[in-house]
Amino acid sequence: MLLRNGPLSRVQLKDHSGLSGAAITTVVAELIEDGLVEEQAIGASTGGRPPMLLAVNYSARTAVGFKLMERGLDAVLTDLSGEVRAHIRRDLPDTSPDTVVRTASSMTTELLQQCDVPADRLAGVGMGLSGVIDVGAGICVHSAYLRWRNVPIAMLLEQAIGVPVTIDNDVNAFAAAERLFGHGRHALHLAVVSVGRGIGSGLVANGRVYRGAHGGAGELGHTVTERRGRQCDCGKRGCLEAYASEPALVSRAQELAPELELTTIEALLNHAGDARIAALLDDAGERVGTALANLVNLFNPELIVIGGEGVRLGDVYFGSLRRALREHAFDGLAENLPVLLEPWGDDAWARGAASLAISRTFDLEVN
Ligand SMILES: [Zn+2]
């Protein structure tokens, strides 16, 4: 309640929670002893004891978050408010579970040393990875990028690091972070969309990340934008990701304008003034916007947050995305629907993963 509402007095906690005054006193005393809650004096005293508010002490513990990629590991150490205190990145010679666990374990030690944090202040570790994840069991069921099947990665990390480890699909981790600390704080129904290397979505329904029956909900990038269309990395054809992700844009640009020799997204954006490239960005944005309209029609979110490296794709892409979304959303569902572009830093994915550990610390039903 203190996390959600900000500082409250004991009386307010009692009123909001429905617990007895005695129960509040006991619970608060334990939390203060643990260092997780602190008292703050407010206003001037009118004689007698000054009124006290209780607040979460966000610096009482730390969390470490990892983003696991095909060639490296990104890691941050945060406090309990998700504020990043250090960020490091290491290359991975391979993505075998063994290598990942060994590297993550030594990076955790390095982060704790760098921030001068005793090991017993580490509340937990979170890891985000792309793929289908069984969050409850801590198993990566399948990841095409990592070529993993049924890897119990959370347990392996727990054995190596010695604190609770939570893993999740990286877009769901981003959604959990938005719900905890971001624009989604006050939204119960929220779609978080990532654009970049791939395209994905994390859905928050009734305040919790919605995963579906097998952890596969929100695979927006593999919804169909073109029947029998371009080949997708997933093995099927016509997926949105095969048209509108950054790698897809680069390969489409090479087909459209081979003489420009565009091999990276940065080079492509430098040629955004070229009519063919502008048309390509417009087309890709329209496809994502149309997919989002379908998502809105199925799910009726109150807010859409877009993040990922792809937020750099610029006004043509996102202008066209917004137009297509309004055009195809059913009967006013998109009329007062904020579509927010999140500024994206190198540490954003890992910070999302740290929030998995933080929500577990607070025992929040985000996940
Ligand atoms: Zn696909």
Side-chain angles (χ1 to χ4, degrees):
M1 290 180 65
L2 295 176
L3 179 81
R4 286 261 179 265
N5 299 295
L8 296 170
S9 68
R10 284 178 173 78
V11 173
Q12 287 169 316
L13 274 177
K14 175 173 155 304
D15 293 345
H16 288 326
S17 66
L19 293 174
S20 71
I24 290 291
T25 303
T26 310
V27 171
V28 165
E30 283 172 12
L31 289 169
I32 289 176
E33 178 151 347
D34 274 350
L36 283 167
V37 163
E38 58 191 3
E39 291 187 302
Q40 297 176 342
I42 39 152
S45 165
T46 51
R49 208 161 158 235
M52 287 286 186
L53 285 185
L54 298 162
V56 176
N57 177 12
Y58 290 100
S59 61
R61 300 282 191 283
T62 58
V64 166
F66 289 100
K67 155 82 167 169
L68 176 54
M69 299 162 294
E70 291 160 285
R71 290 185 194 84
L73 261 178
D74 240 358
V76 295
L77 184 140
T78 72
D79 66 12
L80 294 179
S81 72
E83 177 90 14
V84 174
R85 290 179 52 191
H87 172 215
I88 56 177
R89 176 172 287 185
R90 292 289 170 268
D91 292 336
L92 288 170
D94 60 81
T95 53
S96 70
D98 234 28
T99 305
V100 170
V101 169
R102 209 167 348 101
T103 312
S105 176
S106 79
M107 287 172 85
T108 303
T109 308
E110 189 179 334
L111 282 167
L112 291 171
Q113 281 169 355
Q114 197 175 321
C115 299
D116 205 13
V117 174
D120 66 355
R121 299 283 91 179
L122 178 62
V125 166
M127 181 178 276
L129 54 162
S130 121
V132 176
I133 311 294
D134 182 337
V135 174
I139 292 172
C140 172
V141 178
H142 176 231
S143 171
Y145 288 124
L146 302 167
R147 292 171 297 281
W148 283 7
R149 263 190 198 281
N150 296 319
V151 175
I153 188 68
M155 183 194 75
L156 297 172
L157 287 166
E158 275 181 11
Q159 285 169 353
I161 304 175
V163 294
V165 174
T166 311
I167 63 164
D168 204 341
N169 172 285
D170 43 15
V171 189
N172 285 343
F174 169 34
E178 279 298 318
R179 171 78 181 121
L180 260 183
F181 306 118
H183 299 292
R185 273 184 98 125
H186 305 291
L188 283 174
H189 308 285
L190 149 84
V192 173
V193 176
S194 74
V195 179
R197 170 82 177 76
I199 294 175
S201 69
L203 307 175
V204 175
N206 292 314
R208 301 180 60 163
V209 175
Y210 175 76
R211 300 201 156 70
H214 306 292
E219 289 290 356
L220 186 71
H222 302 283
T223 57
V224 180
T225 183
E226 188 98 21
R227 292 182 65 207
R228 293 185 280 278
R230 297 175 71 88
Q231 179 72 45
C232 180
D233 284 345
C234 73
K236 314 250 158 142
R237 289 190 167 273
C239 298
L240 180 63
E241 200 166 289
Y243 287 81
S245 68
E246 289 191 349
L249 284 167
V250 171
S251 69
R252 292 177 73 194
Q254 285 168 344
E255 293 162 20
L256 280 171
E259 82 288 359
L260 295 179
E261 294 180 12
L262 303 173
T263 53
T264 63
I265 198 73
E266 290 81 4
L268 184 151
L269 292 174
N270 285 336
H271 285 85
D274 183 290
R276 292 163 298 176
I277 304 301
L280 174 61
L281 288 166
D282 184 80
D283 172 77
E286 182 177 341
R287 288 175 188 274
V288 180
T290 305
L292 287 180
N294 288 335
L295 184 143
V296 164
N297 293 350
L298 287 170
F299 179 66
N300 187 204
E302 59 193 284
L303 174 67
I304 294 179
V305 180
I306 301 178
E309 297 78 8
V311 297
R312 64 188 163 185
L313 289 171
D315 292 345
V316 175
Y317 188 97
F318 288 104
S320 155
L321 180 154
R322 287 174 196 277
R323 271 194 307 280
L325 172 53
R326 311 265 177 243
E327 186 184 333
H328 296 293
F330 180 70
D331 197 20
L333 288 183
E335 242 154 55
N336 297 309
L337 175 69
V339 178
L340 306 174
L341 279 187
E342 182 89 334
W344 200 256
D346 283 347
D347 59 3
W349 285 118
R351 180 176 178 263
S355 79
L356 297 172
I358 295 168
S359 41
R360 182 160 166 171
T361 302
F362 285 106
D363 201 16
L364 285 175
E365 292 193 338
V366 173
N367 287 291

